[in-house]
Structures are given as structure tokens and as C-alpha cells.
RNA sequence: GACCCCGUAGCUCAGCCGGAUAGAGCAUCAGCCUUCUAAGCUGAGGGUCGCAGGUUCGAAUCCUGCCGGGGUCGCCA
């Protein structure tokens, strides 16, 4: 960054300089990792500030302010830094030379759609498992948030240099799928003309199984009914699961969500018993034993039966009680299957595991993390992201859903009504672990109230400036890459208005923001950043109304115009990049 | 009974690995349209960061306890 930053990542470049400057005072890497560089809230504190002196003071055995002065002295020699101040308890405030912001913008433009990409993941494999909805019916609106969250997180991680596998766990074993099979078989009889009457209690009543029955009838005619029960239920089950998964895949595609791997629970026990193998592996590590559990503390425990059972020692890893691996009938618990499934992830070489779960599974986090820790000998880490409940509203009023009557709003209905972009952005415009109100009426509103519109409109507005500019400069190219070439050499030092500098700073922040969002597994940060960026752009745009000299296109001043267009291009580019990571389109006009 | 999440302006929410005087939108009030999309923008008022301790140069942020709201618990997936 002597004159021009070698890295497009301005913050990383400055941090590297600070680290170099503090190197003589550092005694351990731990301290160094606490040194951060940030942009201060108060502009009078300069462009960037670091806590280095305060963090290192104790270990260096010097007073913070004194240490700060010493570090400041080194930094003053830096050609990219115009001014260094020591303030408050020991902050080191840096004012960068003005052209640094222009250089950062230039670097952003040259990087194009790769701006913000990083290699903090170092190509390491990371497995992101999300949705994993039971294949017993269509996706409902509750699945949206996890789907969108997982997808955006996977995008972010890939952009941050991880090798991402997007995975869906199909619960195609167990009691629910047996019910599905029976329900499908009933629909098959119905398709053959039999009068089946009301669907019996305990079976799935949904009409969505009628096509499954019809398909079975079309393929097997009356032959299916003549088969032994286990055989015909197997066929009914496989057909039903297959058709449900096709429907789920279609629904997910409507949301622009796609997976690399669909992992079948049944496959764990189909050939060799991999659940048994997983339990055995844990037993070898001394984490499985036969024992008794205390009775449950709450609820109606009338069917509680004190017996010896196979238990996983999850309390060794901070869980409250040890967890059963087998039911009283000898079959595996869901947890046991899940252990085998996560063992598969570890065995496939993943050390970074991320599971996206609904809030109702919150109680399972500890035991699953315990299992992964035990399975991997502590080498793999499982981060479980809980997505909280979504409350579906229309104009502020809750949308009525009656589970008993089988009336639930499907994912497809919501996407069809408000569009994929609104669903995705709104679901991400909130921390994952806080409940979210999703208002169908607001989601399609074209106003500042509606964040997705506001951000997309920022992009469209930027593009419209270029359409307008083409009237003035007929040779202005359309594609981003050629546009950047056309803008090369523009006098960016003419961008001096506070609103322009704000935007340049915001653009320079993008790579750091992406890294942070990826590292903390928090896509919502990106959504908020884009909102802020769009807001600053709208503000600048409108200033041109009052102050014509601030307009992007200046009639007889092609060079200033090129500088301004460079800024607009930066905005457009970052908005497009960020929206793409969130899986939201960036329209050229609205 | 235990565990998880939440508690920040009247409302909805941000607050990055602890940083300097806690931010935005809505709502309220006062303004801005012969001009690149007013589908927008500018400004003002408004907060004991649930409460009480602790950790330290420094706490909305970390720890402990309480209060309030939501969720989960069992060989159900």
C-alpha cells in the first residue's frame, strides 16, 4: 500500500502495517490476534483506529499511551499514512492520505466481481447441512428461513475461500416414513377406484399424496395389492419418498437453493450397519456404556420405564445427561443415526461442520457437538446455527394456519406471492437466532420500508446513471469489465464531497465485512451492509438535485464525470456482488 | 425442575473478536419535486442498553445471580 495497496483489502493492508509496527512489542501470537483496526464512529478520530497499544501494554510492561507513542512513531514513517494521533486511553488514530480511498476504489473496480473474495478459508472443506426437511410432504413456509440462511452462508463461505459442500439429510427411515408409505398405499387403493372413506387417524391426510397413489396404480395396477405387506410398503415408501423429494427439489429451486449432496438416512443401515459402526467407534473411545438414566424431570412420565440401556457419555462434553442410542425395541434412536451421519461427514474429511436447525431442535445442540467432538477426537468442530421461528403476517395480521385441518402455507405459495428476492432478503435481514416477522403485504411494497426493494433500487439507479451517461458518451461500453477499462485513469482525487468519501469508505469496507460475516457464520451482516451502502448512494444521488455540481454527469466536464462514474460503478459492483451472495437478483431497472 | 434464545428510542431492529459522545428505519414534527427514477432525500426531538453485582485502563458486548417474554425436554423425528 506504499502508494497503491497491493491488496484490494484496505483494512487488511493497514492491519499488516500495524502488526509490523508493533512486532517489537509482541511476546505472543494471542496478543497479536486481539489487535484490530476499525473505522471510528467519530470522523475526528481519523480514518482508522487501532487498539494495539492498549492490548499489548500489559505484556510489554509499558503504559498504554507510552507504548502508543512508540508505535505511532513507526507508523508516521509510512507513506500511506498522513497523520497519526494518540488519543484517549491509548488509541492510535490514523488519517490516511486522501488518495488512499481513490486507490482502494480503483482496486475494487479492477478486481471486478472478485472484489471481496478472500482466501481466509484456505481451500479447507466445510460441510453445510441445511433444510433436511422430512420427505413426508411439501415444504412449508417454516422451512424457508433455514433454506435461505444455509444457502447464503454457503455462498459466503465459498467466497471466503472455503471448499463448500451443501448437504441435505433425507430422513427416509423411521416411523414417519412408514406412515408415509401406508398413507401412499391407501391413496393407491383409492386410485384403483376403491372407496377409502376418511383418512384414518395417524396417517397423512394431505391431498398431495393422491398423485403418489395414482403413480403407483399406473405402474403396478393391481399387482401391488397382491404383494406381501413388507414388499408393497417398501414400494409405496420408495415411490412416495422419491416423489416428495422431487417436489422438495422443485420448491427449493424456486427459492434458488441447490444442493451438492442429498444424504439418505436409510443408506446408513441398508447394507452394512454404519450406525452400529459409529456406536462401536465411540465405544472404543470409552464414550458408550450400558447404564440407567434418571427419570425425566417434567411432563407426564407415566410410561417412563427404568431400564438399562446403551448410552452415549455426552456429559463428558458438557451435556446435561447421557443420551440413549437404542430404543426399548432395540432399534436405534434418531440420535444414533445422526451420530452415524455426522461420522460420515468426519470420515469424508470435513473438519468444519455447520448444521442449520430450526429452533425446536435447540435442545440437541450440545449432544450433537459432543458426538462430533468424540468422533473426531476433537479435530472437527460443529457449529449449529439455530434459525428462529418465522411469524407469517399479512398487513400486520397473523396469517391463520391450522395444523389440525392440514392447512399450512407452503413455501411455494409464499414464493409465488411475493417472489424469491423478497423472501430471501427479508429472511436474511435479521439475526438468525431472533424470531422474525414476515409480512406478505410489506414484502411486495415498493418503498423504503421494504429493504429488498430499497437495495435493489440502489443497483437499478446506478445502472440508470450509466444509461443516462451513454447519451453524453456514446462510446461508454455496456459490460462491467469494459466499463472499468473505460473508466481507467479517471481523476478520482476529484471525489472530495463528504458523501462521496463516505461511499468510498463503505466500498473499501466490503472485503472486511464479507470476511467477518463468513467467519462468524452471520449472513445478516451482509444484508445490513448492503442496506447502508444503498442508503448512502441514494443520499448522494439526491444531493445532486439540490447541488447540480454534485451530479454524476457534468455536461462539459468529462473527467469529473468519469471520476463520479467510477464511484457509481463501485457501488453497482458491490451491490451486485453482495446481492448475489445473498441469492437475490440485482435488476438493471425497476 | 433443567437447558437454549430474546430483552437497546413510542414501534421494528443493528451494534463487527470488549473500545472513545450507543446507531438506523418506522412513527411524530419541520423542509426538499422545471434537473441523472420524489419508488427518493435533508433536519429535529426521542434511550437509567431489563435489574444488581463482578472481571479491567475501558462493558450494550465477557462472567454470576435475579426479573420479564418465547422455545425445548421423555427410547418423536
Amino acid at each position: 500500500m506504499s502508494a497503491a495497496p497491493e491488496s484490494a483489502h484496505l483494512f487488511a493492508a493497514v492491519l499488516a502495517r500495524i502488526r509490523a509496527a508493533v512486532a517489537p512489542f509482541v511476546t505472543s501470537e494471542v496478543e497479536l490476534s486481539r489487535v484490530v483496526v476499525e473505522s471510528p464512529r467519530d470522523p475526528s478520530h481519523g480514518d482508522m483506529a487501532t487498539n494495539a497499544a492498549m492490548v499489548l501494554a500489559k505484556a510489554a510492561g509499558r503504559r498504554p499511551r507510552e507504548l502508543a507513542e512508540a508505535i505511532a512513531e513507526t507508523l508516521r514513517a509510512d507513506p500511506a499514512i498522513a497523520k497519526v494521533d494518540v488519543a484517549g486511553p491509548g488509541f492510535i488514530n490514523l488519517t490516511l492520505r486522501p488518495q488512499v480511498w481513490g486507490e482502494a476504489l480503483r482496486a475494487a473496480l479492477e478486481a471486478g466481481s472478485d472484489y471481496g473474495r478472500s482466501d481466509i478459508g484456505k481451500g479447507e472443506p466445510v460441510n453445510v447441512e441445511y433444510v433436511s426437511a422430512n420427505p413426508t410432504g411439501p415444504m412449508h413456509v417454516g422451512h424457508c428461513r433455514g433454506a435461505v440462511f444455509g444457502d447464503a452462508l454457503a455462498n459466503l463461505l465459498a467466497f471466503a475461500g472455503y471448499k463448500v459442500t451443501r448437504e441435505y439429510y433425507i430422513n427416509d427411515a423411521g416411523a414417519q416414513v412408514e406412515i408415509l408409505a401406508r398413507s401412499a398405499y391407501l391413496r393407491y387403493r383409492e386410485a384403483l377406484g376403491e372407496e377409502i372413506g376418511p383418512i384414518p387417524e395417524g396417517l397423512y391426510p394431505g391431498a398431495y399424496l393422491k398423485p403418489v397413489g395414482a403413480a403407483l396404480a399406473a405402474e403396478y395396477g393391481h399387482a401391488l395389492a397382491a404383494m406381501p405387506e413388507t414388499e408393497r410398503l417398501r414400494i409405496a415408501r420408495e415411490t412416495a419418498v422419491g416423489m416428495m423429494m422431487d417436489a422438495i427439489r422443485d420448491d427449493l429451486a424456486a427459492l434458488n437453493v441447490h444442493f451438492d449432496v442429498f444424504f439418505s438416512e436409510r443408506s446408513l443401515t441398508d447394507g452394512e450397519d454404519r450406525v452400529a459402526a459409529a456406536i462401536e467407534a465411540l465405544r472404543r473411545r470409552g464414550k458408550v456404556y450400558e447404564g440407567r438414566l434418571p427419570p425425566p424431570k417434567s411432563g407426564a412420565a407415566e410410561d417412563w420405564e427404568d431400564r438399562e440401556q446403551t448410552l452415549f457419555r455426552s456429559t463428558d462434553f458438557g451435556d446435561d445427561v447421557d443420551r440413549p442410542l437404542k430404543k426399548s425395541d432395540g432399534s436405534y434412536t434418531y440420535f444414533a443415526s445422526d451420530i452415524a451421519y455426522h461420522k460420515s461427514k468426519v470420515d469424508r474429511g470435513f473438519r468444519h461442520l455447520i448444521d442449520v436447525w430450526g429452533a425446536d431442535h435447540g435442545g440437541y445442540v450440545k449432544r450433537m457437538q459432543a458426538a462430533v467432538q468424540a468422533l473426531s477426537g476433537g479435530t472437527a468442530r460443529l457449529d449449529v446455527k439455530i434459525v428462529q421461528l418465522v411469524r407469517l403476517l399479512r398487513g400486520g395480521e397473523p396469517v391463520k394456519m391450522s395444523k389440525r385441518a392440514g392447512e399450512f402455507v407452503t413455501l411455494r405459495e409464499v414464493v409465488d406471492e411475493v417472489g424469491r428476492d423478497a423472501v430471501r432478503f427479508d429472511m436474511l435481514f435479521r439475526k438468525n437466532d431472533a424470531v422474525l416477522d414476515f409480512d406478505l403485504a410489506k414484502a411486495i411494497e415498493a418503498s423504503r420500508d421494504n429493504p429488498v426493494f430499497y437495495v435493489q433500487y440502489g443497483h437499478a439507479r446506478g445502472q440508470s446513471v450509466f444509461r443516462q451517461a451513454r447519451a453524453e458518451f456514446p462510446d461508454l461500453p455496456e459490460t462491467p469489465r469494459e466499463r472499468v477499462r473505460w473508466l481507467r485513469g479517471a481523476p478520482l482525487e476529484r471525489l472530495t464531497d463528504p458523501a462521496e468519501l463516505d461511499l468510498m469508505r463503505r466500498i473499501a469496507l466490503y472485503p472486511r465485512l464479507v470476511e467477518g460475516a463468513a467467519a462468524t457464520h452471520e449472513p445478516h451482516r451482509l444484508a445490513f451492509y448492503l442496506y447502508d451502502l444503498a442508503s448512502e448512494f441514494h443520499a448522494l444521488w439526491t444531493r445532486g438535485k439540490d447541488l447540480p455540481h454534485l451530479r454524476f454527469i457534468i455536461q462539459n466536464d468529462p473527467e469529473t464525470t468519469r471520476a463520479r462514474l467510477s464511484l457509481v460503478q463501485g457501488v453497482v459492483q458491490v451491490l451486485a456482488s453482495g446481492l448475489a451472495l445473498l441469492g437475490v437478483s440485482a435488476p438493471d431497472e425497476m
Side-chain angles (χ1 to χ4, degrees):
Chain A
M1 191 185 64
S2 49
E6 61 281 348
S7 156
H9 189 336
L10 188 57
F11 279 84
V14 172
L15 181 59
R17 297 184 167 236
I18 290 169
R19 290 190 167 193
V22 302
F25 308 102
V26 173
T27 54
S28 87
E29 284 299 310
V30 183
E31 294 160 11
L32 197 59
S33 70
R34 291 179 56 210
V35 173
V36 296
V37 55
E38 58 189 0
S39 42
R41 263 198 308 274
D42 187 338
S44 74
H45 293 147
D47 296 313
M48 292 192 186
T50 178
N51 60 352
M54 293 176 288
V55 169
L56 300 173
K58 199 170 235 173
R62 304 177 65 163
R63 278 202 295 271
R65 286 201 59 119
E66 178 193 318
L67 183 58
E69 275 304 336
I71 297 169
E73 208 43 53
T74 312
L75 290 170
R76 283 195 182 102
D78 197 303
I81 298 172
K83 194 154 76 83
V84 183
D85 292 313
V86 175
F91 285 102
I92 302 171
N93 293 332
L94 309 176
T95 303
L96 303 180
R97 287 209 329 220
Q99 61 260 47
V100 166
W101 299 110
E103 285 159 2
L105 174 59
R106 166 75 49 219
L109 296 190
E110 295 298 333
S113 58
D114 280 332
Y115 180 58
R117 190 181 287 279
S118 73
D119 65 346
I120 58 171
K122 304 188 191 85
E124 287 172 31
V126 52
N127 183 291
V128 188
E129 182 212 328
Y130 51 109
V131 186
S132 299
N134 286 343
T136 53
M139 305 257 301
H140 57 81
V141 66
H143 293 119
C144 277
R145 195 173 181 189
V148 168
F149 177 88
D151 187 64
L153 177 55
N155 291 344
L156 262 174
L157 290 169
F159 201 57
Y162 288 93
K163 189 166 173 289
V164 178
T165 297
R166 301 145 184 271
E167 196 152 316
Y168 184 120
Y169 184 51
I170 309 171
N171 295 120
D172 54 358
Q176 300 212 11
V177 180
E178 291 315 308
I179 293 172
L180 176 72
R182 290 178 191 281
S183 309
Y185 182 71
L186 192 63
R187 292 297 188 181
Y188 154 80
R189 283 165 48 199
E190 180 184 44
L192 288 177
E194 207 174 309
E195 186 55 58
I196 61 168
I199 305 294
E201 189 75 21
L203 293 189
Y204 295 123
Y208 58 85
L209 286 175
K210 284 185 179 178
V212 178
L216 286 168
E219 181 163 0
Y220 295 93
H222 291 275
L224 193 59
M227 293 179 189
E229 189 182 35
T230 52
E231 181 64 3
R232 72 188 185 213
L233 282 182
R234 182 185 64 78
I235 291 172
R237 187 190 72 225
E238 285 173 3
T239 304
V241 168
M243 290 179 72
M244 288 304 110
M245 285 309 298
D246 284 345
I248 286 171
R249 264 185 277 258
D250 282 352
D251 288 352
L252 289 170
L255 251 188
N256 204 12
V257 173
H258 304 275
F259 287 90
D260 302 310
V261 174
F262 286 87
F263 192 101
S264 156
E265 177 184 5
R266 190 164 284 273
S267 73
L268 290 168
T269 49
D270 248 358
E272 67 173 310
D273 189 339
R274 292 157 75 186
V275 180
I279 293 175
E280 214 27 61
L282 288 176
R283 200 187 290 276
R284 277 197 302 276
R285 292 177 183 268
K287 299 301 178 192
V288 171
Y289 67 103
E290 309 298 318
R292 293 171 189 277
L293 283 181
K297 286 282 192 312
S298 81
E302 66 256 9
D303 54 352
W304 166 254
E305 166 199 356
D306 186 24
R307 68 176 177 90
E308 186 162 279
Q309 48 188 342
T310 306
L311 297 168
F312 169 56
R313 218 178 275 283
S314 52
T315 47
D316 281 4
F317 306 91
D319 201 2
D320 308 317
V321 291
D322 292 335
R323 304 292 176 176
L325 298 171
K326 285 186 181 176
K327 304 181 196 173
S328 52
D329 65 359
S331 64
Y332 298 120
T333 59
Y334 180 84
F335 179 49
S337 300
D338 231 354
I339 289 176
Y341 171 45
H342 283 76
K343 182 172 187 297
S344 152
K345 295 184 190 176
V346 172
D347 290 347
R348 281 181 277 151
F350 294 106
R351 290 297 171 267
H352 304 283
L353 309 184
I354 300 173
D355 286 3
V356 180
W357 293 352
D360 52 343
H361 289 63
Y364 294 82
V365 173
K366 276 186 188 172
R367 74 190 70 168
M368 205 60 243
Q369 287 177 327
V372 167
Q373 210 180 324
L375 284 166
S376 70
T379 63
R381 201 176 92 84
L382 170 66
D383 186 17
V384 180
K385 304 298 285 186
I386 296 294
V387 286
Q388 269 289 352
L389 206 75
V390 175
R391 280 190 305 204
L392 199 58
L393 308 175
R394 187 188 301 279
E397 293 299 314
V399 174
K400 293 256 163 54
M401 277 183 280
S402 159
K403 273 187 189 152
R404 204 177 316 150
E407 291 171 29
F408 49 87
V409 177
T410 64
L411 179 150
R412 184 56 75 96
E413 286 170 321
V414 173
V415 174
D416 286 349
E417 178 168 345
V418 305
R420 161 205 294 179
D421 288 343
V423 172
R424 293 195 57 124
F425 197 94
D426 287 3
M427 295 278 168
L428 293 168
F429 202 60
R430 193 85 158 80
K431 278 184 299 200
N432 58 284
D433 50 9
V435 295
L436 172 118
D437 290 340
F438 184 71
D439 196 309
L440 293 165
K442 228 182 225 172
I444 54 169
E445 220 173 80
S447 77
R448 171 153 208 178
D449 267 337
N450 184 2
V452 65
F453 165 78
Y454 189 68
V455 174
Q456 287 183 313
Y457 181 43
H459 183 268
R461 208 170 220 185
Q463 294 291 61
S464 105
V465 171
F466 278 99
R467 281 194 294 276
Q468 207 66 33
R470 206 159 290 124
E472 203 76 14
F473 305 99
D475 63 324
L476 203 163
E478 295 216 26
T479 70
R481 186 171 297 211
E482 287 167 17
R483 219 188 252 173
V484 167
R485 190 174 308 149
W486 188 86
L487 292 167
R488 227 170 252 168
L492 301 181
E493 67 278 6
R494 295 191 193 180
L495 302 174
T496 54
D497 187 79
E500 293 173 331
L501 288 167
D502 280 349
L503 269 178
M504 285 196 280
R505 274 191 265 265
R506 182 78 61 184
I507 290 169
L509 184 65
Y510 182 64
R512 184 174 187 264
L513 190 287
V514 169
E515 285 182 8
T520 54
H521 304 162
E522 292 183 343
H524 77 271
R525 291 193 197 184
L526 179 55
F528 280 97
Y529 167 88
L530 293 175
Y531 185 84
D532 290 340
L533 177 63
S535 176
E536 283 174 352
F537 180 58
H538 287 308
L540 179 59
W541 193 95
T542 308
R543 289 200 73 190
K545 289 228 164 274
D546 297 334
L547 308 168
H549 69 276
L550 276 181
R551 297 179 57 158
F552 300 121
I553 302 163
I554 307 294
Q555 289 297 322
N556 297 309
D557 190 346
E559 285 307 288
T560 299
T561 300
R562 289 211 308 142
R564 300 256 167 90
L565 290 179
S566 299
L567 182 56
V568 176
Q569 175 61 20
V571 171
V572 163
Q573 212 176 270
V574 172
L575 286 176
S577 166
L579 285 171
L581 288 173
L582 300 183
V584 177
S585 71
D588 289 335
E589 50 190 321
M590 298 179 76

